[in-house]
Amino acid sequence: MTLQERFARNLKRCREELGWSQEQLGSMVGSDRTGISRLERKAGKITLQRAEALATAMEMDVRILLETPVTASLHRRPPGDQTSTAQIGAKVLELRTAEGVSQKTLAARVGIDRNLISRLEAPGENQLAPIELSTLEKLATALRVKPTDLL
């Protein structure tokens, strides 16, 4: 199961446990019922920023929705510190350097352009688009850590 699939299933479980409709959740994050339905069905790509907004609306830490196996109970935990591309970039740089891997090698492992790794790791880089959950998962796999270890 992919990170996005786990998030989608846990999002739905959390929403249902709260007794909220898709429309209610959508209105809290500037979406509609169709948008929430699409996310819960894993249709389309979701960014970490969007995942965090949804979790925060439900007063849940996004890490719980990303980590909890779908067969396990969701243990409610209030939102923690918000994640940022800069934090993720710093962690990627730290892990990549500790492993002695070049940006080019890491990019090849992940299947993305080396320039994306370079922009991600650049301090204060504001031009980077939000990271998709699938990219976060690929980075974590390439660096041999859990996706939430990068947050």
Side-chain angles (χ1 to χ4, degrees):
M1 172 176 301
T2 68
L3 185 64
Q4 182 169 324
E5 290 169 338
R6 183 178 315 115
F7 175 80
R9 287 187 183 177
N10 285 336
L11 173 71
K12 182 176 182 177
R13 287 193 314 150
C14 187
R15 178 185 60 75
E16 289 175 344
E17 286 176 10
L18 290 168
W20 293 0
S21 68
Q22 291 174 335
E23 188 172 349
Q24 286 173 301
L25 178 57
S27 70
M28 297 181 81
V29 295
S31 186
D32 59 11
R33 183 201 59 76
T34 306
I36 300 301
S37 174
R38 195 171 29 255
L39 289 174
E40 290 180 352
R41 288 182 286 114
K42 303 161 291 288
K45 298 179 183 201
I46 184 168
T47 65
L48 178 59
Q49 179 183 29
R50 184 76 169 150
E52 193 163 43
L54 289 159
T56 299
M58 295 186 295
E59 298 182 3
M60 177 71 90
D61 191 310
V62 71
R63 291 160 186 84
I64 298 296
L65 299 178
L66 293 169
E67 285 183 335
T68 304
V70 297
T71 56
S73 296
L74 287 171
H75 297 287
R76 294 192 64 78
R77 186 171 78 203
D81 294 334
Q82 285 210 311
T83 61
S84 74
T85 303
Q87 289 172 309
I88 294 168
K91 192 66 175 179
V92 167
L93 174 62
E94 174 189 327
L95 292 168
R96 181 184 63 75
T97 303
E99 195 175 320
V101 173
S102 70
Q103 289 179 343
K104 183 178 181 180
T105 300
L106 179 59
R109 282 186 195 171
V110 176
I112 60 176
D113 181 35
R114 183 202 61 82
N115 292 320
L116 177 60
I117 301 292
S118 178
R119 287 193 317 272
L120 181 64
E121 292 180 351
E125 182 62 53
N126 294 321
Q127 299 172 358
L128 190 64
I131 296 176
E132 293 178 3
L133 292 183
S134 60
T135 302
L136 181 69
E137 183 172 35
K138 289 175 186 175
L139 282 165
T141 299
L143 292 165
R144 298 174 188 76
V145 297
K146 297 184 308 187
T148 53
D149 291 342
L150 297 177
L151 306 184

